[in-house]
Amino acid sequence: MLKNLILLIVLLNFWSDTKRSEDNIYFDIVHKKKVIGNLKASRTITDSKIHYQSSTTINTRIMKEIRVNYKYDVTFEAQLLEKSDVNITVNENPHAKTETEWEDNSYQVIKNGKYENRINDSISYSTVQMFFNEPVNINTCYSEQNGSFNTIIELGNHTYKKINSKGNENIYYYDMGVLKKATIDVGLITFEIVASNKH
């Protein structure tokens, strides 16, 4: 009985010492003034660890009906990327998977199950963070999807251009540090994500 009581006190102290908060944000995906999908991003902070998740679903027609789903699962520890996992499906079939993980003093990038490359530089800012943190004084951003670095250019008035390794340009608009809208160029199609109050 005494042993159980001590264990309970230890667990209660552990839980009370752990600081945890969670934020969820929602966006409509708009193409030619029509909502073609939605995006939900979440950020969970537990002490020094920040866990980001985002899920994007797009239903549109490019020659034929197409359903695309992007899932991001990204963890930062002490403000540095620890690991990320990106899964993309098209019409419910696996399309692409990219994993990045800190291992042996560098990041290992695995694409579709095959070793892609090693990154020796530390990563403190990545694409998924752009939903939650305006990139003030930040000029590079790690792409969890491509396993490469993007360039960020400040355009003024809390607006930023992100250029990926293929030269595609996305524009992000912030208000009071919060993302309100972005124009996304994915090659075949350009669409907007617009902040939504829908849950």
Side-chain angles (χ1 to χ4, degrees), residues 28-65:
D28 287 330
I29 298 173
V30 180
H31 177 62
K32 295 181 178 177
K33 299 184 179 179
K34 179 182 175 185
V35 175
I36 61 168
N38 56 69
L39 186 158
K40 176 188 175 183
S42 66
R43 175 179 62 184
T44 305
I45 302 172
T46 307
D47 294 329
S48 65
K49 187 167 283 197
I50 305 177
H51 185 210
Y52 296 91
Q53 287 184 305
S54 77
S55 178
T56 307
T57 301
I58 300 172
N59 290 288
T60 190
R61 187 173 184 85
I62 305 172
M63 308 291 263
K64 64 176 185 177
E65 200 72 27

